[in-house]
Amino acid sequence: MRDHSKNRLALITSRYAARQQEKAAGDRRAFDDAFRAVRGEVILPVLGEIATELRSAGHAPRIALDEAPETPSVALALGIRGVTAAPGTDLIAFSVIQRREAPEILAYLVVKPPPMDLLRFASPADITAYQVEQLVVDAIEHIFACRSI
């Protein structure tokens, strides 16, 4: 077996083991605390850098903590120059949700047309700065494209 495949399998099985441990613990408070830690250490710095870039282009972005319907959460409202958006639109958010037995982190965007789920994370530990940056930049591109027509 190639080293690449061995490494991928090791990563897959370690993530699975960590997720099973989280599920067995069943501690929503611990999950929320882990998300808040990732939010502060990973997501907020990325959103802050993106907001700075948007401001330099003349927009008025705003980062909101725990203002989503489900919390804990963090959202980047784009504040697109020249667009009168309804409150709660033109934003990208990460929020802890619980639709199944175990909680998840849902990354989603809200734009006119309606909201769209982007990605679900089974564990806060799975969220990386690279993923957040790519996901948010792709969502911004989608929102700007929707606003351009």
Side-chain angles (χ1 to χ4, degrees):
M1 183 181 286
R2 294 179 308 161
D3 286 341
H4 174 75
S5 295
K6 287 180 183 179
N7 291 336
R8 284 191 62 207
L9 285 173
L11 181 61
I12 290 165
T13 57
S14 69
R15 283 183 179 164
Y16 177 80
R19 182 63 180 141
Q20 294 308 306
Q21 185 176 7
E22 285 176 359
K23 285 171 56 177
D27 187 355
R28 173 62 190 260
R29 184 176 304 170
F31 190 90
D32 289 354
D33 290 346
F35 172 73
R36 285 185 186 98
V38 168
R39 178 177 71 181
E41 297 166 12
V42 177
I43 300 172
L44 281 172
V46 173
L47 295 183
E49 289 179 26
I50 291 170
T52 298
E53 292 298 316
L54 290 171
R55 272 189 211 92
S56 71
H59 304 288
R62 182 176 80 82
I63 297 173
L65 299 178
D66 297 333
E67 293 180 12
E70 295 179 272
T71 60
S73 66
V74 59
L76 172 65
L78 301 184
I80 301 172
R81 180 184 63 230
V83 172
T84 305
T89 62
D90 294 344
L91 64 85
I92 301 103
F94 294 79
S95 185
V96 174
I97 63 167
Q98 190 150 2
R99 306 284 192 278
R100 302 177 187 137
E101 186 175 325
E104 302 173 287
I105 295 103
L106 175 64
Y108 63 96
L109 67 88
V110 181
V111 66
K112 194 174 181 183
M116 176 186 347
D117 294 357
L118 298 173
L119 188 59
R120 290 182 187 218
F121 297 92
S123 171
D126 293 341
I127 301 172
T128 67
Y130 176 79
Q131 289 172 312
V132 172
E133 180 178 311
Q134 291 304 302
L135 186 136
V136 173
V137 170
D138 289 347
I140 288 170
E141 180 179 30
H142 178 79
I143 291 170
F144 272 79
C146 287
R147 289 296 181 184
S148 296
I149 54 175

